Structures are given as structure tokens and as C-alpha cells.
Amino acid sequence: MAFLVACLLAFAFILNAEAQSAPSNISPGSSLTPNSNSSWLSSSGVYAFGFYKQGNGYAVGIVLAGMPEKTVVWTANRDDPLVSDNATLLLTADGLSLQPTQGKPLVTSITQAVFSASMLDSGNFVLYNSDQEIEWQSFDSPTDTLLPNQTLRAGEELYSAKSKTNSSTGIFRLSIQRDGNLVQYPVATMAATTDDAYYATDTSLS
């Protein structure tokens, strides 16, 4: 019961923060490093985008920073090797560049130059063009967590993390199938049928 109350209070805290705060704006040329200026906060301080400690290195993602225990809700390139404390994350007109990994882009679907970025109080990290249109957003590529007002579209999947302290892809996937059925499969059965499922809502549209 205490756990349920804590979850409800946390949820209310997030919704209240969304209602009260304006988006933060981040300009190209802005950068982050693991040991100094490691993240960009949402206006309320509930969410943070940037480096977070994982094992012996650092990953890039979004954490729920406004709670006593920081919780990872999204990770970029989650199965890539961790980076060291000399890494730099740079916002450029081409998107997000992580160095010293030869400037490997974290976002590859940019069609227009990035004019600004924002860590929203919804938990969504967004890149905008000069017309303030969204070029890319983290909500379109969920990893293992759905946040309030975030949707999982037909054909999309969530993949579990390996553990609480390792955000790499784990052994389960949750799929919203195009027939309307929400099914949990083991990752190893990529061409699975519901016979392979651990759980299914049986909400097929057919």
C-alpha cells in the first residue's frame, strides 16, 4: 500500500510540474560532459537529459531527476559501449554528436538543420528546426519505459533492460501488434506467435 501511495504521489508530482513550467531551450553549440554540466534539466527539474553513471562508464539518456532515487526512463543507443569521463555530448545543427566516438551521431533522422532543443516536463527530449517543428523526439523511440502521454504505436515494441543497473537490451519485449493485441515475448523469438507469448491481452481487431 505504501508503494502504491508513493507511485501516485510521484505521478501527481510529474503532472503538476508539466502544468506549471515552460519548456527550456538549448542552443546548438551547447555541450555536456560526465563530470561537469552533465545534463540539461526540464524547466521543473523533474527530468534530465544527458550523461548518467552506469557500471564503470557513462551512458546518455533521460532520467527522472526530481525523485530521491534517479530512475532511467530512456537510453540512447543502449547497446553501444559505455563512454569514459572524457566524453563530450555536443548539440549541433546536424543533431547530437557524441565525442570521442568519432562524433558518432546519436540521432540520424534529421532532415533540416537543428535550431534548438528542449528537455520537456513530459519527459520528452525534442530537437526543433527553425520553424519550431519537431525534427526528432525521444518519445518516438522508447526503450523500456512509457511515460504519461507517451504512446506505443502499432508495430512498435518496448525491450526490457538487462537489470536495474544495466540499461542494455534485456530478455523480454512488449509488442503492440498491428492486429491490436498487446503481447509480451522473449526477445529470442523475434518471429513469434502468441503461442510463444508470456502474456497477451487477446484484444485482436480481427
Side-chain angles (χ1 to χ4, degrees):
M1 183 65 180
F3 175 76
L4 177 60
V5 171
C7 289
L8 291 174
L9 288 173
F11 186 71
F13 177 60
I14 292 169
L15 293 181
N16 184 59
E18 288 184 40
Q20 293 184 0
S21 300
S24 58
N25 289 314
I26 305 155
S27 302
S30 301
S31 63
L32 300 173
T33 60
N35 293 326
S36 176
N37 190 33
S38 63
S39 63
W40 292 311
L41 290 172
S42 64
S43 295
S44 66
V46 173
Y47 292 100
F49 174 90
F51 291 101
Y52 68 87
K53 184 70 174 174
Q54 181 174 294
N56 295 322
Y58 294 87
V60 174
I62 298 170
V63 300
L64 186 58
M67 302 299 292
E69 182 178 351
K70 291 183 179 180
T71 300
V72 178
V73 297
W74 183 82
T75 302
N77 299 338
R78 62 194 297 195
D79 294 317
D80 282 3
L82 300 173
V83 298
S84 65
D85 59 5
N86 68 346
T88 299
L89 182 63
L90 179 65
L91 179 65
T92 72
D94 296 321
L96 290 163
S97 177
L98 182 62
Q99 302 169 350
T101 56
Q102 290 74 50
K104 181 178 179 179
L106 291 184
V107 177
T108 58
S109 57
I110 302 300
T111 59
Q112 295 186 43
V114 173
F115 183 78
S116 65
S118 187
M119 178 69 257
L120 303 181
D121 280 317
S122 62
N124 191 15
F125 186 76
V126 182
L127 302 181
Y128 298 100
N129 60 30
S130 58
D131 294 322
Q132 288 301 296
E133 298 169 333
I134 294 175
E135 280 294 308
W136 179 91
Q137 57 184 338
S138 59
F139 267 18
D140 285 342
S141 53
T143 50
D144 65 342
T145 302
L146 283 180
L147 295 171
N149 299 317
Q150 185 178 7
T151 59
L152 190 67
R153 301 180 182 89
E156 295 182 338
E157 297 178 320
L158 295 179
Y159 287 82
S160 64
K162 280 190 175 180
S163 69
K164 187 177 181 180
T165 57
N166 186 339
S167 298
S168 300
T169 302
I171 61 173
F172 299 107
R173 61 189 176 97
L174 185 68
S175 174
I176 179 70
Q177 299 181 162
R178 298 191 184 279
D179 62 3
N181 201 6
L182 182 66
V183 188
Q184 182 185 358
Y185 294 109
V187 168
T189 56
M190 295 304 293
T193 67
T194 51
D195 292 337
D196 303 309
Y198 285 104
Y199 168 80
T201 58
D202 294 324
T203 51
S204 175
L205 298 176
S206 57

